[in-house]
Short mmCIF file of all heavy atoms in Angstrom, two decimals:
data_model
loop_
_atom_site.label_atom_id
_atom_site.label_comp_id
_atom_site.label_asym_id
_atom_site.label_seq_id
_atom_site.Cartn_x
_atom_site.Cartn_y
_atom_site.Cartn_z
N ARG A 1 11.08 -41.95 -156.76
CA ARG A 1 11.09 -40.91 -155.73
C ARG A 1 11.16 -41.50 -154.32
O ARG A 1 11.72 -40.91 -153.42
CB ARG A 1 9.85 -40.04 -155.88
CG ARG A 1 9.97 -38.98 -156.97
CD ARG A 1 8.84 -37.98 -156.89
NE ARG A 1 7.55 -38.56 -157.26
CZ ARG A 1 7.04 -38.56 -158.48
NH1 ARG A 1 7.73 -38.00 -159.47
NH2 ARG A 1 5.87 -39.11 -158.75
N MET A 2 10.58 -42.70 -154.13
CA MET A 2 10.54 -43.32 -152.81
C MET A 2 11.75 -44.23 -152.54
O MET A 2 11.91 -44.72 -151.43
CB MET A 2 9.24 -44.13 -152.66
CG MET A 2 7.98 -43.29 -152.70
SD MET A 2 6.48 -44.31 -152.68
CE MET A 2 6.65 -45.13 -151.11
N ALA A 3 12.56 -44.46 -153.53
CA ALA A 3 13.66 -45.42 -153.38
C ALA A 3 14.69 -44.91 -152.38
O ALA A 3 15.08 -43.74 -152.40
CB ALA A 3 14.34 -45.63 -154.74
N PRO A 4 15.15 -45.80 -151.48
CA PRO A 4 16.17 -45.41 -150.49
C PRO A 4 17.58 -45.57 -151.05
O PRO A 4 18.52 -45.88 -150.31
CB PRO A 4 15.92 -46.40 -149.35
CG PRO A 4 15.46 -47.63 -150.04
CD PRO A 4 14.67 -47.18 -151.26
N ASP A 5 17.73 -45.38 -152.34
CA ASP A 5 19.02 -45.58 -153.00
C ASP A 5 19.38 -44.33 -153.81
O ASP A 5 18.54 -43.45 -154.04
CB ASP A 5 18.96 -46.78 -153.97
CG ASP A 5 18.53 -48.06 -153.29
OD1 ASP A 5 19.29 -48.57 -152.45
OD2 ASP A 5 17.43 -48.56 -153.61
N ALA A 6 20.63 -44.32 -154.27
CA ALA A 6 21.03 -43.32 -155.25
C ALA A 6 20.45 -43.75 -156.59
O ALA A 6 20.81 -44.80 -157.12
CB ALA A 6 22.56 -43.23 -155.32
N VAL A 7 19.54 -42.96 -157.12
CA VAL A 7 18.87 -43.30 -158.38
C VAL A 7 19.41 -42.41 -159.49
O VAL A 7 19.44 -41.18 -159.36
CB VAL A 7 17.34 -43.14 -158.27
CG1 VAL A 7 16.67 -43.51 -159.60
CG2 VAL A 7 16.80 -44.01 -157.14
N VAL A 8 19.84 -43.06 -160.56
CA VAL A 8 20.38 -42.34 -161.71
C VAL A 8 19.72 -42.88 -162.97
O VAL A 8 19.62 -44.09 -163.15
CB VAL A 8 21.91 -42.51 -161.82
CG1 VAL A 8 22.44 -41.78 -163.05
CG2 VAL A 8 22.60 -41.98 -160.56
N VAL A 9 19.25 -41.96 -163.82
CA VAL A 9 18.72 -42.34 -165.12
C VAL A 9 19.64 -41.73 -166.18
O VAL A 9 19.94 -40.53 -166.12
CB VAL A 9 17.27 -41.83 -165.32
CG1 VAL A 9 16.74 -42.29 -166.68
CG2 VAL A 9 16.37 -42.31 -164.19
N HIS A 10 20.10 -42.56 -167.11
CA HIS A 10 20.93 -42.03 -168.19
C HIS A 10 20.47 -42.61 -169.52
O HIS A 10 19.85 -43.68 -169.58
CB HIS A 10 22.41 -42.32 -167.94
CG HIS A 10 22.76 -43.78 -167.88
ND1 HIS A 10 23.01 -44.53 -169.00
CD2 HIS A 10 22.92 -44.61 -166.81
CE1 HIS A 10 23.31 -45.77 -168.64
NE2 HIS A 10 23.26 -45.85 -167.31
N ASP A 11 20.75 -41.88 -170.59
CA ASP A 11 20.32 -42.34 -171.91
C ASP A 11 21.29 -43.40 -172.43
O ASP A 11 22.24 -43.81 -171.73
CB ASP A 11 20.19 -41.15 -172.87
CG ASP A 11 21.49 -40.41 -173.08
OD1 ASP A 11 22.58 -40.99 -172.84
OD2 ASP A 11 21.45 -39.22 -173.45
N MET A 12 21.07 -43.84 -173.66
CA MET A 12 21.87 -44.91 -174.22
C MET A 12 23.29 -44.46 -174.55
O MET A 12 24.15 -45.28 -174.84
CB MET A 12 21.19 -45.49 -175.47
CG MET A 12 19.76 -45.98 -175.20
SD MET A 12 19.61 -47.05 -173.72
CE MET A 12 20.59 -48.48 -174.22
N GLU A 13 23.54 -43.16 -174.50
CA GLU A 13 24.91 -42.63 -174.65
C GLU A 13 25.54 -42.35 -173.29
O GLU A 13 26.59 -41.71 -173.20
CB GLU A 13 24.89 -41.35 -175.49
CG GLU A 13 24.69 -41.57 -176.98
CD GLU A 13 23.25 -41.98 -177.30
OE1 GLU A 13 22.32 -41.39 -176.69
OE2 GLU A 13 23.05 -42.87 -178.15
N ASN A 14 24.86 -42.80 -172.23
CA ASN A 14 25.37 -42.67 -170.86
C ASN A 14 25.39 -41.23 -170.35
O ASN A 14 26.16 -40.90 -169.43
CB ASN A 14 26.76 -43.30 -170.70
CG ASN A 14 26.71 -44.81 -170.75
OD1 ASN A 14 25.75 -45.42 -170.28
ND2 ASN A 14 27.73 -45.42 -171.33
N CYS A 15 24.55 -40.36 -170.92
CA CYS A 15 24.44 -39.00 -170.40
C CYS A 15 23.29 -38.94 -169.39
O CYS A 15 22.22 -39.52 -169.61
CB CYS A 15 24.18 -38.03 -171.54
SG CYS A 15 25.60 -37.83 -172.63
N VAL A 16 23.52 -38.25 -168.28
CA VAL A 16 22.57 -38.24 -167.17
C VAL A 16 21.28 -37.50 -167.53
O VAL A 16 21.31 -36.37 -168.03
CB VAL A 16 23.21 -37.60 -165.92
CG1 VAL A 16 22.19 -37.51 -164.79
CG2 VAL A 16 24.42 -38.40 -165.48
N LEU A 17 20.15 -38.17 -167.23
CA LEU A 17 18.83 -37.55 -167.41
C LEU A 17 18.17 -37.24 -166.07
O LEU A 17 17.33 -36.34 -165.99
CB LEU A 17 17.91 -38.50 -168.21
CG LEU A 17 18.38 -38.90 -169.61
CD1 LEU A 17 17.44 -39.95 -170.19
CD2 LEU A 17 18.49 -37.69 -170.52
N TYR A 18 18.57 -37.99 -165.05
CA TYR A 18 17.95 -37.81 -163.73
C TYR A 18 18.96 -38.22 -162.67
O TYR A 18 19.71 -39.20 -162.83
CB TYR A 18 16.68 -38.65 -163.62
CG TYR A 18 16.03 -38.63 -162.25
CD1 TYR A 18 15.25 -37.55 -161.85
CD2 TYR A 18 16.21 -39.69 -161.36
CE1 TYR A 18 14.66 -37.53 -160.60
CE2 TYR A 18 15.61 -39.68 -160.11
CZ TYR A 18 14.84 -38.60 -159.72
OH TYR A 18 14.26 -38.57 -158.48
N TRP A 19 18.95 -37.50 -161.55
CA TRP A 19 19.99 -37.69 -160.51
C TRP A 19 19.36 -37.25 -159.20
O TRP A 19 19.16 -36.07 -158.96
CB TRP A 19 21.18 -36.81 -160.89
CG TRP A 19 22.45 -36.90 -160.09
CD1 TRP A 19 22.78 -36.18 -158.99
CD2 TRP A 19 23.60 -37.69 -160.41
NE1 TRP A 19 24.05 -36.47 -158.57
CE2 TRP A 19 24.59 -37.40 -159.44
CE3 TRP A 19 23.88 -38.63 -161.41
CZ2 TRP A 19 25.84 -38.02 -159.45
CZ3 TRP A 19 25.12 -39.23 -161.42
CH2 TRP A 19 26.09 -38.93 -160.46
N ASN A 20 18.99 -38.21 -158.34
CA ASN A 20 18.25 -37.83 -157.14
C ASN A 20 19.17 -37.34 -156.02
O ASN A 20 20.41 -37.31 -156.16
CB ASN A 20 17.34 -38.97 -156.68
CG ASN A 20 18.10 -40.10 -155.99
OD1 ASN A 20 19.32 -40.19 -156.09
ND2 ASN A 20 17.37 -40.97 -155.31
N ARG A 21 18.56 -36.97 -154.90
CA ARG A 21 19.33 -36.39 -153.79
C ARG A 21 20.35 -37.36 -153.22
O ARG A 21 21.48 -36.98 -152.86
CB ARG A 21 18.37 -35.94 -152.68
CG ARG A 21 19.07 -35.25 -151.50
CD ARG A 21 18.08 -34.88 -150.42
NE ARG A 21 17.30 -36.03 -149.98
CZ ARG A 21 17.76 -36.96 -149.13
NH1 ARG A 21 19.00 -36.86 -148.65
NH2 ARG A 21 16.99 -37.96 -148.75
N LEU A 22 19.99 -38.64 -153.13
CA LEU A 22 20.93 -39.62 -152.59
C LEU A 22 22.10 -39.85 -153.54
O LEU A 22 23.20 -40.19 -153.10
CB LEU A 22 20.20 -40.94 -152.30
CG LEU A 22 19.20 -40.88 -151.13
CD1 LEU A 22 18.45 -42.19 -151.00
CD2 LEU A 22 19.93 -40.56 -149.83
N ALA A 23 21.85 -39.66 -154.83
CA ALA A 23 22.96 -39.72 -155.79
C ALA A 23 23.90 -38.54 -155.57
O ALA A 23 25.13 -38.67 -155.68
CB ALA A 23 22.43 -39.72 -157.22
N GLU A 24 23.34 -37.37 -155.26
CA GLU A 24 24.17 -36.21 -154.94
C GLU A 24 25.04 -36.50 -153.72
O GLU A 24 26.23 -36.16 -153.69
CB GLU A 24 23.28 -35.00 -154.67
CG GLU A 24 22.52 -34.49 -155.89
CD GLU A 24 21.64 -33.29 -155.56
OE1 GLU A 24 21.43 -33.03 -154.35
OE2 GLU A 24 21.18 -32.61 -156.49
N ASP A 25 24.43 -37.14 -152.70
CA ASP A 25 25.19 -37.46 -151.48
C ASP A 25 26.30 -38.47 -151.75
O ASP A 25 27.41 -38.36 -151.21
CB ASP A 25 24.24 -38.02 -150.42
CG ASP A 25 23.23 -36.99 -149.94
OD1 ASP A 25 23.48 -35.78 -150.13
OD2 ASP A 25 22.18 -37.39 -149.40
N LEU A 26 26.01 -39.47 -152.59
CA LEU A 26 26.99 -40.52 -152.85
C LEU A 26 28.13 -40.06 -153.74
O LEU A 26 29.31 -40.31 -153.44
CB LEU A 26 26.29 -41.74 -153.49
CG LEU A 26 27.18 -42.91 -153.92
CD1 LEU A 26 28.01 -43.43 -152.74
CD2 LEU A 26 26.34 -44.04 -154.53
N TYR A 27 27.80 -39.35 -154.80
CA TYR A 27 28.82 -39.03 -155.80
C TYR A 27 29.39 -37.62 -155.67
O TYR A 27 30.47 -37.35 -156.21
CB TYR A 27 28.24 -39.22 -157.20
CG TYR A 27 27.79 -40.65 -157.45
CD1 TYR A 27 26.43 -40.96 -157.53
CD2 TYR A 27 28.70 -41.68 -157.60
CE1 TYR A 27 26.01 -42.27 -157.76
CE2 TYR A 27 28.29 -42.99 -157.82
CZ TYR A 27 26.94 -43.27 -157.90
OH TYR A 27 26.53 -44.56 -158.11
N GLY A 28 28.68 -36.73 -154.98
CA GLY A 28 29.23 -35.40 -154.73
C GLY A 28 28.86 -34.33 -155.73
O GLY A 28 29.19 -33.16 -155.51
N TRP A 29 28.21 -34.68 -156.84
CA TRP A 29 27.77 -33.67 -157.81
C TRP A 29 26.29 -33.37 -157.60
O TRP A 29 25.49 -34.29 -157.33
CB TRP A 29 27.94 -34.17 -159.24
CG TRP A 29 29.36 -34.13 -159.75
CD1 TRP A 29 30.04 -33.07 -160.25
CD2 TRP A 29 30.27 -35.24 -159.80
NE1 TRP A 29 31.32 -33.43 -160.63
CE2 TRP A 29 31.49 -34.77 -160.36
CE3 TRP A 29 30.19 -36.58 -159.43
CZ2 TRP A 29 32.60 -35.58 -160.56
CZ3 TRP A 29 31.28 -37.40 -159.62
CH2 TRP A 29 32.47 -36.89 -160.17
N SER A 30 25.92 -32.13 -157.73
CA SER A 30 24.50 -31.78 -157.64
C SER A 30 23.80 -32.18 -158.94
O SER A 30 24.44 -32.42 -159.97
CB SER A 30 24.33 -30.28 -157.41
OG SER A 30 24.73 -29.55 -158.57
#
């Protein structure tokens, strides 16, 4: 939550589990 980066968590099949606000800004998807 405190990271100044785009943080993404995905499972072993590469499906998104978590996508923070900075990831939304970087990649464009909510």
Side-chain angles (χ1 to χ4, degrees):
R1 280 192 290 268
M2 296 174 62
D5 304 293
V7 180
V8 178
V9 182
H10 62 84
D11 61 22
M12 304 312 295
E13 285 72 41
N14 289 325
C15 291
V16 176
L17 301 174
Y18 175 79
W19 186 270
N20 75 345
R21 183 182 55 79
L22 291 175
E24 293 179 346
D25 295 340
L26 176 57
Y27 299 108
W29 283 279
S30 69

